[in-house]
């Protein structure tokens, strides 16, 4: 299905308020078979802002849509200039306590998998294996002409060489790696084509308005079918790409647990929502399960 550019939602249902007791999360993990679904909120403690939380980037920034990117050379220039600058900051982000706790749960055999809506690869950097990147990853670039993939760091080097004087100051960095720049700051930025066919290059991420690959969606659905429970971490579940898995789990009678400080679009499907900071909550849960959490992430390779 196509990921509509749904940027916000207004709660209309009367659902129980969030709790400050993380014990239901600990109970679910004790039972094992937990599937994790993570969103932007798990990465805020790594310095990457989320979209919709307090101070979220949607208050100042509208994400690029697939239709705009493919239709307009000017839009692509604006995107790549902003993304190139944002990549420098984004690439320096390190996993936080939440990512490290999820990795520890996986190592102890409590998880059946991790699905992330994030494009920052921080779960993998923390040591989680077999992570399904629902919306892709900023680490890769794809050509819309020939379909070739290439590492983002290679394009970054090419863009540095093509734009040696590009050193603007950004007003902020967004969850998609996009920096806030003015039109004047990006007007001279040089966009580069695919080295193989000369086609349009795009980060290997699902833009708003773009379809999540059907095989990836089905793989996630299968993970939900195999899981005993679903643990949602730091997602508002505003967009259907993540909410559909919450609905699937609930319809199958599987417990859904959410850790998110704010209300989410999936609250009515959840057994509980723990309204506490993610890093501290998951570290507390790990302690209750006698699972050590690494104090720092594995080194970058």
């Amino acid at each position: 299905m196509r990921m509509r550019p749904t940027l916000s939602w207004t709660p209309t249902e009367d659902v129980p308020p969030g709790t400050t007791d993380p014990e239901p999360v600990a109970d679910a993990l004790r039972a094992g078979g937990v599937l994790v679904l993570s969103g932007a909120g798990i990465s805020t403690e790594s310095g990457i802002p989320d979209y919709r939380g307090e101070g979220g980037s949607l208050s100042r920034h509208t994400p690029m849509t697939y239709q705009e990117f493919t239709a307009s050379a000017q839009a692509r220039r604006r995107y790549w200039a902003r993304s190139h600058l944002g990549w420098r900051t984004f690439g320096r982000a390190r996993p936080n306590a939440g990512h490290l706790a999820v990795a520890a749960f996986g190592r102890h055999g409590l998880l059946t998998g991790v699905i992330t809506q994030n494009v920052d690869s921080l779960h993998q950097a923390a040591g989680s294996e077999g992570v399904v990147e629902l919306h892709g990853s900023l680490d890769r670039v794809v050509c819309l002409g020939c379909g070739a993939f290439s590492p983002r760091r290679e394009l970054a080097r090419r863009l540095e060489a093509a734009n040696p004087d590009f050193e603007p100051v950004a007003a902020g960095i967004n969850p998609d790696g996009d920096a806030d720049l003015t039109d004047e700051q990006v007007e001279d930025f040089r966009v580069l084509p695919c080295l193989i066919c000369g086609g349009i290059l795009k980060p290997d991420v699902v833009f708003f308005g773009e379809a999540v690959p059907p095989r990836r969606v089905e793989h996630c659905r299968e993970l939900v079918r195999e899981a005993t429970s679903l643990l949602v971490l730091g997602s508002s579940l505003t967009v259907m790409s993540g909410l559909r898995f919450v609905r699937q789990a609930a319809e199958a009678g599987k417990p859904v647990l959410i850790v998110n400080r704010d209300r989410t679009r999936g609250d009515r499907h959840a057994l509980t929502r723990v309204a506490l900071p993610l890093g501290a909550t998951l570290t507390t849960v790990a302690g209750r399960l006698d699972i050590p959490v690494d104090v720092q992430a594995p080194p970058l390779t």
Side-chain angles (χ1 to χ4, degrees):
M1 68 180 288
R2 198 164 290 278
M3 200 178 127
R4 297 184 180 91
T6 302
L7 302 183
S8 63
W9 67 282
T10 301
T12 58
E13 298 170 311
D14 185 15
V15 297
T19 180
T20 56
D21 180 12
E23 190 59 24
V25 175
D27 287 340
L29 286 163
R30 286 189 189 99
V34 176
L35 174 63
V36 166
L37 171 63
S38 72
I42 199 171
S43 293
T44 56
E45 293 174 37
S46 293
I48 299 175
D50 65 10
Y51 281 116
R52 301 173 179 86
E54 184 178 353
S57 69
L58 287 181
S59 64
R60 65 176 192 277
H61 163 77
T62 300
M64 178 71 68
T65 67
Y66 180 77
Q67 291 74 18
E68 185 181 8
F69 183 87
T70 55
S72 168
Q74 182 178 358
R76 291 192 292 275
R77 177 180 297 105
R78 184 171 70 251
Y79 175 83
W80 276 118
R82 291 159 53 151
S83 184
H84 179 56
L85 181 63
W87 171 252
R88 301 175 188 174
T89 300
F90 212 75
R92 290 193 294 267
R94 304 294 292 130
N96 63 57
H99 299 108
L100 296 170
V102 170
F105 298 148
R107 285 194 299 272
H108 282 74
L110 306 184
L111 307 181
T112 59
V114 177
I115 302 169
T116 185
Q117 296 173 283
N118 300 337
V119 296
D120 53 34
S121 299
L122 290 178
H123 278 298
Q124 295 93 319
S128 290
E129 298 181 354
V131 178
V132 180
E133 297 171 315
L134 186 62
H135 297 157
S137 173
L138 282 174
D139 283 343
R140 300 182 299 272
V141 177
V142 62
C143 174
L144 298 182
C146 65
F149 291 90
S150 57
R152 176 64 177 266
R153 62 180 178 274
E154 291 184 3
L155 178 61
R157 286 195 292 265
R158 293 176 60 205
L159 289 173
E160 290 281 358
N163 300 277
D165 299 322
F166 184 69
E167 293 289 343
V169 176
I173 305 296
N174 303 304
D176 51 7
D178 193 6
D180 291 328
L181 297 174
T182 66
D183 289 343
E184 290 76 16
Q185 288 175 301
V186 307
E187 61 184 359
D188 295 325
F189 189 82
R190 183 183 172 196
V191 178
L192 300 178
C194 173
L195 287 172
I196 298 173
C197 74
I200 294 172
L201 293 176
K202 172 184 171 292
D204 186 28
V205 300
V206 178
F207 282 8
F208 282 87
E210 186 178 4
V212 178
R215 292 181 63 181
R216 192 179 302 165
V217 173
E218 182 51 37
H219 178 45
C220 293
R221 289 196 180 280
E222 182 59 30
L223 289 175
V224 175
R225 287 191 285 268
E226 294 173 352
T228 301
S229 60
L230 180 64
L231 176 60
V232 181
L233 303 175
S235 176
S236 68
L237 299 169
T238 296
V239 296
M240 189 57 64
S241 62
L243 180 62
R244 57 184 156 193
F245 303 124
V246 169
R247 289 178 173 175
Q248 178 189 349
E251 289 169 1
K254 300 174 188 284
V256 175
L257 302 99
I258 299 173
V259 183
N260 201 68
R261 297 184 71 169
D262 300 319
R263 291 183 62 178
T264 83
R265 198 177 174 190
D267 284 1
R268 73 183 183 91
H269 302 292
L271 175 67
T272 188
R273 177 175 61 84
V274 180
L276 290 172
L278 264 165
T281 299
L282 295 183
T283 300
T284 296
V285 168
R288 294 184 183 185
L289 300 176
D290 294 322
I291 293 177
V293 176
D294 293 339
V295 295
Q296 60 185 13
L300 292 173
T301 57

